[in-house]
Amino acid sequence: MSDGSDNQPTPAYKRVLLKISGEALMGDQGFGLHPPTVERIAKEVKIVRDLGVEICMVIGGGNIFRGLQGSAQGMERTTADYMGMLATVMNALAMQSALEGLGVFTRVVSAIPMDQVCEPYIRRRAVRHLEKGRVVIFAAGTGNPYFTTDTAATLRASEMTCEAILKGTKVDGVYDMDPVKHPEAKRYDDITYDDVLVKNLKVMDASAIALARDNDLPIIVFSLDEPGGFKGILSGQGTYTIVHG
């Protein structure tokens, strides 16, 4: 935390979970990982970590494999979902490499044990990593098929007693319709969990929203493409939507 002597604003939250999609790591490519984009996001995380904020992350796997699409093409759903979980591990390792290249101690913690690659998920150990200032990247979703990384993010944020989920997206908040297709779309400054569910707004899937509501966990949606956006949100600046009770 800043002591004010360097004119740094005190962050609004002490411990947060940053949720980003796998597609956020593609850059302008149509598939896979774009190393400069991964490094840019890592730098944003480092800036916030250096403010004294404890950060954990969940990264989707859609840039490599998406379980739902696999099952739609005839693959058995649970197999497709496990493949998607493995894709999230690949993304987590890439982000860990980028963060550690910047001098940020990072742990990848997987819901599916793979000891040669990363740590198994043990809640108390993960909390201890956060307390020591390490960035913790939760991989492999919840470890169960039929659950998205949105649900995994809400679950882990609740278990880690995070104060908020920050969802970095391509747009600067929640809109009443797709702002890319509809320039007249209206952005919400804040909206309730129930309104998100009733209006079927594509913030997170319904089970993730319901879990956040039950645990009174605010979700802040902001643009990850905006330089300094992650730090700005924690400083109460920038454009975003907050989903709350």
Side-chain angles (χ1 to χ4, degrees):
M1 288 289 186
S2 169
D3 60 6
S5 60
D6 55 0
N7 296 319
Q8 288 277 21
T10 300
Y13 302 105
K14 174 65 177 171
R15 180 182 294 172
V16 299
L17 184 142
L18 175 63
K19 166 64 170 71
I20 60 178
S21 67
E23 288 88 345
L25 305 184
M26 293 191 309
D28 294 329
Q29 302 173 159
F31 177 83
L33 289 159
H34 184 239
T37 299
V38 177
E39 185 172 354
R40 176 181 63 80
I41 295 172
K43 286 178 178 176
E44 297 265 336
V45 173
K46 181 182 188 303
I47 288 169
V48 172
R49 199 290 309 262
D50 288 348
L51 293 176
V53 179
E54 296 171 359
I55 303 170
C56 47
M57 300 178 67
V58 169
I59 307 172
N63 58 319
I64 299 171
F65 189 87
R66 188 178 291 279
L68 275 173
Q69 291 177 355
S71 62
Q73 294 173 13
M75 188 177 293
E76 197 267 327
R77 172 66 189 271
T78 55
T79 298
D81 278 357
Y82 279 122
M83 291 173 68
M85 291 178 213
L86 295 177
T88 71
V89 177
M90 295 171 69
N91 285 337
L93 292 172
M95 182 59 65
Q96 178 186 42
S97 178
L99 284 165
E100 293 196 332
L102 298 171
V104 178
F105 292 110
T106 308
R107 296 290 186 273
V108 174
V109 177
S110 172
I112 299 175
M114 46 185 86
D115 294 348
Q116 288 87 346
V117 176
C118 50
E119 293 185 10
Y121 175 69
I122 299 171
R123 189 188 71 83
R124 293 174 72 92
R125 182 186 293 175
V127 169
R128 188 70 179 130
H129 287 322
L130 289 173
E131 290 172 347
K132 289 183 175 180
R134 299 165 182 157
V135 173
V136 177
I137 306 175
F138 295 112
T142 65
N144 301 289
Y146 296 96
F147 289 93
T148 67
T149 50
D150 281 342
T151 303
T154 310
L155 174 64
R156 297 295 185 235
S158 300
E159 290 178 304
M160 295 298 106
T161 61
C162 291
E163 296 170 356
I165 298 173
L166 278 72
K167 181 166 183 179
T169 69
K170 294 284 187 182
V171 294
D172 59 356
V174 179
Y175 286 77
D176 58 355
M177 58 184 83
D178 188 342
V180 176
K181 298 178 182 176
H182 304 279
E184 73 279 11
K186 172 193 169 188
R187 186 183 63 79
Y188 299 98
D189 287 329
D190 62 277
I191 190 168
T192 66
Y193 305 111
D194 289 338
D195 280 344
V196 167
L197 293 171
V198 169
K199 296 177 180 179
N200 196 28
L201 300 175
K202 304 301 182 184
V203 180
M204 289 180 159
D205 63 74
S207 57
I209 294 293
L211 184 58
R213 179 189 61 192
D214 292 347
N215 290 282
D216 197 22
L217 188 62
I219 302 167
I220 298 170
V221 183
F222 70 104
S223 173
L224 202 63
D225 291 338
E226 187 70 29
F230 187 21
K231 176 186 175 184
I233 298 306
L234 290 164
S235 303
Q237 302 166 350
T239 304
Y240 57 88
T241 300
I242 182 166
V243 182
H244 56 85

